[in-house]
Amino acid sequence: MIVQRARNGEPALCQDCYRTPEAVCHRCGRTRPCYHARTDKPVCGPCTERPAATCTRCRRQRPISAHWPLGAVCQTCYLKILHTPAECALCHGTHPLTGRAASGAGLCGPCAGYPVDYACACCGRTGYLHAAGRCAYCVLDDRLRTLLTGPDGQITAQLLPLLEVFSQVDNPADAIERCAGSPSLRLLAQLAASGEPLTHESLDAFGSGMSVNYLRDLLVHSRVLPPQADDVERIPAWLETQLATRPAHHGTLMRPFLHWFLLKRARRRATNRPYKASDEYGLRARLGQALHLLKWLDDQYLALNALNQHVLDIWLSEGTTARRDISYFLTWTAARRLTGSLTVPPRPADQPTSFLDEDNQWPLLQRCLTDTTLPLDTRCIAALSLLYGLPLQRLRHLTCDQLERTAKGDTVLKIGSSPLPLPPPLADLLTRLATAPPPRRRSAFQSPDGETQPAYLFPGVSPGRPVSPQTIRSRLKSLGITARPTRNSALVALASDFPAVIVADYLGMHISTTTRWVNYIRKDWATYVAARTEDTKNRAGSSDSGTPTLVRTPGG
């Protein structure tokens, strides 16, 4: 649709390419895109006067955006009707209902005598027309084809699944905005223009930033690239970024340490359990300590083979207990005779020290279950933390499939080997969350076979990825909840009421972990009983020695 004709040697412009010229608005005095910019009275959009009238649909006094057969409608009702096509009472087709029959039933424009049917000029889909008489899906398809076109003017067969994935998003207008301003999609356009096949290795060449990770998730989710073993396979690219500014001998040591020791162990463990994000954090911590030790040795003008127990103890004493992660690196160097056999003190067993006050715990839980002004996902995350003390990694990986309804009508959550019965208020919240549409800013990308993979209860921004631990912490913090004290208080309550094997069975925790919590509770009670016994003996001894004691008698 041409909105500006060619003139004075300038080409004609369509609605997509036309930009309103900027001028000084004669009403507000600000420099803005203005109508009538070539006249002596330019006016910007906010200052454009539209007559106010009573909207036929919402009955409010608002500026009118359209006059339809059903009456004058404001901007809010205009967009609401166009974005929600429904069945016409006369032709039974799906159209925006811009008219109304005498019975009150909705009618489409042609059936109500209105010439505009709001049908896309390309695909015929009715509803809101995004640009030039086309729907947002057709505009998005054109943008993607331009984005994915290779040097030969064609889209490679490898990238065709992306067109299908984007054609099924819930909010195509949001996807159009991403095509214009997303660094990830700009990187994809750069890779498509090169004409080379896309691989994980070609993405690794761009580092491990957020835009690269988002693009990798999108390509894996759309089956353009094969799946990786979750976050752990991103560690090599992260290491190369760290080694970019370091001496060459650091890379000579760190690359085999990562590939032949850390990743080998991690992949072997993956055969018995799925990867979690904590594995990535653990590997980065071990690599980070090894890099820190190598830099410290360089600053001391010492070679790695000069590292002895005395030098190691000095390095350990200068930092926190996090430096004890160096034991993995020193085990590897000792096995290859790069260093001698060195001893690193083990991490001390941490005892829980911070707890959520019981006077605050239950009011917070009550608020999560009843306060409808809070976001639904935040209420569910906080309630699961307050009741069951689930760690963040377990929370973020919960899927809709783990929520089931039994034959008796009860709702259970499959976390451990036995389904966990949920109280009705929490079951209702989780059921609503599992069946709710995705948030507006997180368009649900579907895989080419039409199945959403995977269906996380708490989806993240990247396709096919759960919400990040940092996001969960911030949501809990918005309610005044800190993750660690909340988890400690919930586990103390469970360990004091149930045997260790029951807690492990329902929550999917290791039996040794639940046993430590039960023993911690028992030790606390044993210490209390011993203290009371000792206090009673002291009081009895003081009374026998003739020391006066205060005895409170009824009424005394």
Side-chain angles (χ1 to χ4, degrees):
M1 179 179 179
I2 299 299
V3 297
Q4 178 175 294
R5 296 179 180 179
R7 59 184 176 184
N8 300 330
E10 297 179 356
L13 296 176
C14 66
Q15 185 173 349
D16 290 345
C17 299
Y18 176 76
R19 297 292 181 270
T20 307
E22 289 191 354
V24 178
C25 176
H26 81 285
R27 291 179 179 169
C28 65
R30 287 179 289 183
T31 302
R32 285 183 167 185
C34 291
Y35 304 104
H36 314 295
R38 293 183 174 87
T39 67
D40 57 349
K41 291 185 177 181
V43 57
C44 63
C47 293
T48 302
E49 294 182 355
R50 288 185 296 168
T54 302
C55 175
T56 306
R57 186 173 180 271
C58 66
R59 314 306 301 176
R60 292 181 296 176
Q61 284 287 330
R62 304 288 298 275
I64 299 303
S65 293
H67 292 273
W68 283 334
L70 62 85
V73 292
C74 64
Q75 178 73 5
T76 302
C77 295
Y78 173 83
L79 294 176
K80 181 70 174 178
I81 292 173
L82 292 185
H83 280 294
T84 56
E87 182 180 355
C88 175
L90 189 59
C91 67
H92 302 290
T94 302
H95 302 279
L97 303 182
T98 57
R100 186 176 298 155
S103 62
L107 299 176
C108 65
C111 292
Y114 189 65
V116 182
D117 60 353
Y118 295 100
C120 177
C122 295
C123 67
R125 183 187 282 111
T126 58
Y128 180 76
L129 301 180
H130 189 83
R134 297 179 299 165
C135 67
Y137 285 102
C138 291
V139 174
L140 176 61
D141 184 75
D142 286 348
R143 300 281 175 88
L144 287 173
R145 291 184 181 277
T146 302
L147 193 72
L148 302 178
T149 299
D152 57 352
Q154 302 293 327
I155 301 176
T156 62
Q158 184 187 18
L159 296 178
L160 286 178
L162 278 173
L163 295 178
E164 184 176 354
V165 168
F166 274 91
S167 68
Q168 299 173 2
V169 295
D170 297 295
N171 186 5
D174 179 52
I176 292 173
E177 293 180 9
R178 294 186 183 184
C179 289
S182 171
S184 302
L185 294 182
R186 287 199 297 268
L187 175 59
L188 177 60
Q190 178 182 345
L191 293 171
S194 68
E196 298 293 331
L198 279 177
T199 61
H200 285 291
E201 290 72 19
S202 61
L203 288 178
D204 291 341
F206 292 91
S208 59
M210 293 180 61
S211 58
V212 177
N213 291 339
Y214 180 87
L215 178 58
R216 191 191 305 272
D217 292 335
L218 175 60
L219 295 177
V220 170
H221 189 69
S222 58
R223 312 291 172 82
V224 173
L225 292 180
Q228 280 190 332
D230 206 41
D231 300 315
V232 176
E233 297 300 337
R234 299 178 180 180
I235 294 296
W238 176 84
L239 177 61
E240 293 302 325
T241 304
Q242 302 298 314
L243 293 175
T245 57
R246 290 178 175 268
H249 68 275
H250 288 193
T252 304
L253 287 169
M254 298 304 298
R255 291 188 184 96
F257 170 59
L258 170 63
H259 289 280
W260 298 110
F261 185 72
L262 294 180
L263 286 182
K264 184 178 179 181
R265 293 174 72 249
R267 289 165 180 154
R268 184 169 61 248
R269 294 173 64 191
T271 60
N272 300 322
R273 64 178 179 86
Y275 278 113
K276 301 296 180 186
S278 55
D279 294 332
E280 180 195 11
Y281 300 147
L283 292 181
R284 290 192 183 190
R286 294 160 195 170
L287 289 171
Q289 295 303 328
L291 289 169
H292 190 282
L293 175 61
L294 292 177
K295 182 179 183 303
W296 184 83
L297 289 174
D298 289 347
D299 294 341
Q300 306 300 319
Y301 301 100
L302 293 174
L304 182 63
N305 57 11
L307 181 64
N308 54 35
Q309 190 64 50
H310 176 68
V311 175
L312 176 63
D313 291 341
I314 294 176
W315 180 77
L316 290 172
S317 64
E318 293 177 354
T320 64
T321 57
R323 292 195 175 186
R324 299 182 185 184
D325 283 332
I326 198 64
S327 60
Y328 294 89
F329 180 66
L330 296 181
T331 299
W332 179 77
T333 57
R336 283 147 186 81
R337 299 182 180 180
L338 300 175
T339 62
S341 179
L342 302 172
T343 302
V344 178
R347 284 177 176 266
D350 295 332
Q351 292 292 337
T353 57
S354 56
F355 298 90
L356 182 64
D357 189 359
E358 188 173 351
D359 294 337
N360 296 328
Q361 182 178 6
W362 302 121
L364 282 172
L365 179 60
Q366 182 69 17
R367 183 188 177 193
C368 294
L369 297 177
T370 59
D371 191 351
T372 57
T373 62
L374 298 175
L376 182 59
D377 53 354
T378 301
R379 295 169 64 189
C380 294
I381 288 174
L384 289 171
S385 300
L386 290 165
L387 269 179
Y388 305 115
L390 296 180
L392 300 187
Q393 298 301 331
R394 299 289 299 279
L395 275 175
R396 65 191 292 262
H397 284 92
L398 290 176
T399 63
C400 298
D401 296 338
Q402 294 177 257
L403 197 67
E404 293 184 355
R405 195 169 184 84
T406 64
K408 296 181 180 180
D410 300 326
T411 303
V412 296
L413 187 62
K414 298 176 64 177
I415 305 176
S417 55
S418 296
L420 175 66
L422 297 174
L426 179 57
D428 178 63
L429 288 181
L430 292 175
T431 302
R432 288 166 50 195
L433 181 66
T435 56
R440 176 177 175 82
R441 296 299 298 176
R442 297 178 186 175
S443 301
F445 289 96
Q446 294 184 348
S447 56
D449 57 7
E451 182 183 359
T452 303
Q453 294 285 348
Y456 288 111
L457 269 176
F458 309 106
V461 176
S462 297
R465 305 280 296 177
V467 66
S468 67
Q470 293 80 5
T471 302
I472 293 181
R473 290 191 185 95
S474 65
R475 293 180 185 177
L476 292 176
K477 188 176 181 180
S478 66
L479 298 179
I481 298 175
T482 306
R484 176 62 65 180
T486 302
R487 182 168 185 260
N488 290 344
S489 298
L491 291 178
V492 163
L494 292 172
S496 61
D497 293 338
F498 301 99
V501 64
I502 299 297
V503 178
D505 191 36
Y506 278 109
L507 298 186
M509 301 172 63
H510 197 279
I511 186 62
S512 61
T513 302
T514 56
T515 301
R516 285 199 303 269
W517 277 102
V518 171
N519 291 337
Y520 171 78
I521 297 299
R522 290 176 179 173
K523 183 180 70 173
D524 186 53
W525 276 104
T527 304
Y528 171 75
V529 172
R532 288 296 303 270
T533 303
E534 184 67 24
D535 182 65
T536 303
K537 290 181 179 179
N538 292 336
R539 287 175 180 270
S542 300
S543 178
D544 294 341
S545 62
T547 304
T549 59
L550 293 177
V551 180
R552 187 183 180 95
T553 60

